[in-house]
Amino acid sequence: MKSTRIVFLLCLLAILVAVFPAAAQEETFGLSAEDFALMTGAQFPEDAAFNLATQFGLALDGDDYASWDFAGSGLFASDMFSLLLNGSITSAGSDTPLNIELRGVDGSLYISPDGGTNWFGGTAEEIEQMLSGCASSMGSDLPVNPEDLASGDMSDLMAQPGVMEAIMAISSIDPTTFVTIVRDADVDGSAHFTTTVDIAALVASPELAPVIASAAAGSMDTTANDVTEEQLQQMSAMMASMFQDSSLVLDQYVNLATNEVSRLTLTLALTLPSESGTSNAINLTLDFGLSDIGDATVVAPESFEPISQAMGALMGGM
């Protein structure tokens, strides 16, 4: 059952990523042609810095209850970046402070689990090898191997029940039934666009019926062909009800003088019932603000330990 849920969410993500650009060739989602061209044609400056504010919360029913609250700030440019995250993790009634700093410069990544006191670092090649090993160890616990996906091998994903049906449905699904875009009042010389994704309407799309049938078959230990029309309708209604209090909103600000993005805010509120009947909740807010890079720079720490030891240090601090 867990694997079918994972695949179902992967399919939803694939639909959102793949359908929107294709539909954008013909649809303006309620905007005028000029406003839609301004929003979709906006670019990110190559040499600008970013400020970042993030909050993330996860509530799980029962013993797995946990929550995270992060606030961050950073500098992102074409050849360097830095990011400082502060917050806390709550699990089983215990609060753990979080203070992580990241720096990327000269092709290497550095991470400090204590806000800059102790550092771990490595080159891109060393990090790739480490992540590859982690992905390989995770592969046995997931319906698809993350390492295969990263290398472009989609065969395992394509073999999962319902995935091929979902891909076939992409060409016919109408994103205007669950995506709306409005231009709000300009803010400080920037056009403000708000894109809202109605997750419940997306899940209720008839084109997703094959995916839902596969999910239902997985929960009933049968095949999609054995799912009756009545069972499919019940499953579709249940899935739509599960996501009825969920929303995904993207606020995009475009500088009218430069036609460049000056700010992006992503807000996700996801509510799902748990097995006990209560709700699980995921709340995510990402706020990116652009600023002039000026004289800002990022420097490597004077000393650091191998990046391979970073995971142990991070887990030891939690």
Side-chain angles (χ1 to χ4, degrees):
M1 179 64 177
K2 288 184 178 180
S3 63
T4 58
R5 290 179 180 176
I6 293 174
V7 172
F8 184 73
L9 292 176
L10 286 173
C11 291
L12 290 184
L13 178 60
I15 289 172
L16 283 174
V17 172
V19 170
F20 190 86
Q25 298 178 6
E26 299 179 357
E27 300 288 347
T28 61
F29 299 89
L31 293 177
S32 67
E34 293 78 8
D35 283 345
F36 191 74
L38 174 63
M39 186 194 76
T40 57
Q43 302 293 324
F44 284 94
E46 294 182 359
D47 297 321
F50 281 94
N51 293 318
L52 168 67
T54 70
Q55 289 79 42
F56 176 77
L58 171 65
L60 297 177
D61 179 66
D63 296 335
D64 293 330
Y65 171 81
S67 64
W68 293 269
D69 188 359
F70 304 135
S73 62
L75 170 69
F76 296 84
S78 59
D79 57 352
M80 60 183 177
F81 77 88
S82 66
L83 178 63
L84 179 63
L85 287 177
N86 294 284
S88 63
I89 299 175
T90 301
S91 179
S94 176
D95 292 335
T96 302
L98 179 72
N99 188 11
I100 297 177
E101 185 173 355
L102 295 172
R103 296 182 188 177
V105 61
D106 297 330
S108 295
L109 175 68
Y110 306 93
I111 181 170
S112 171
D114 49 20
T117 301
N118 297 288
W119 286 94
F120 300 86
T123 64
E125 291 77 10
E126 292 170 339
I127 295 171
E128 182 179 0
Q129 292 177 1
M130 183 183 69
L131 294 179
S132 177
C134 292
S136 297
S137 63
M138 291 173 57
S140 60
D141 298 325
L142 296 174
V144 295
N145 191 329
E147 187 175 8
D148 291 340
L149 294 180
S151 65
D153 183 358
M154 307 293 286
S155 57
D156 287 345
L157 179 60
M158 294 300 100
Q160 293 298 312
V163 172
M164 187 58 69
E165 292 87 346
I167 293 176
M168 295 297 293
I170 288 175
S171 60
S172 58
I173 196 170
D174 181 7
T176 61
T177 60
F178 59 87
V179 176
T180 58
I181 307 176
V182 297
R183 179 173 178 174
D184 299 308
D186 295 353
V187 179
D188 297 330
S190 292
H192 176 199
F193 298 97
T194 300
T195 301
T196 302
V197 178
D198 186 337
I199 299 178
L202 168 61
V203 173
S205 299
E207 291 82 1
L208 285 185
V211 185
I212 294 176
S214 294
S219 64
M220 295 184 295
D221 196 22
T222 183
T223 66
N225 292 332
D226 295 328
V227 178
T228 66
E229 183 65 26
E230 181 180 0
Q231 291 172 328
L232 180 58
Q233 291 178 356
Q234 292 175 348
M235 189 69 175
S236 297
M238 182 186 71
M239 295 295 290
S241 176
M242 285 172 58
F243 290 96
Q244 65 180 350
D245 296 323
S246 302
S247 62
L248 176 63
V249 179
L250 174 67
D251 289 282
Q252 177 178 336
Y253 300 80
V254 180
N255 189 308
L256 294 172
T258 63
N259 288 337
E260 294 176 335
V261 176
S262 58
R263 183 183 176 191
L264 282 174
T265 300
L266 177 69
T267 304
L268 171 67
L270 190 63
T271 302
L272 295 171
S274 67
E275 294 181 356
S276 65
T278 58
S279 293
N280 297 328
I282 298 175
N283 295 283
L284 171 66
T285 300
L286 297 174
D287 193 341
F288 297 89
L290 282 162
S291 60
D292 191 341
I293 196 170
D295 296 329
T297 188
V298 178
V299 297
E302 294 183 356
S303 61
F304 57 90
E305 298 296 326
I307 191 70
S308 58
Q309 300 179 20
M311 186 59 68
L314 286 170
M315 297 304 295
M318 297 182 177

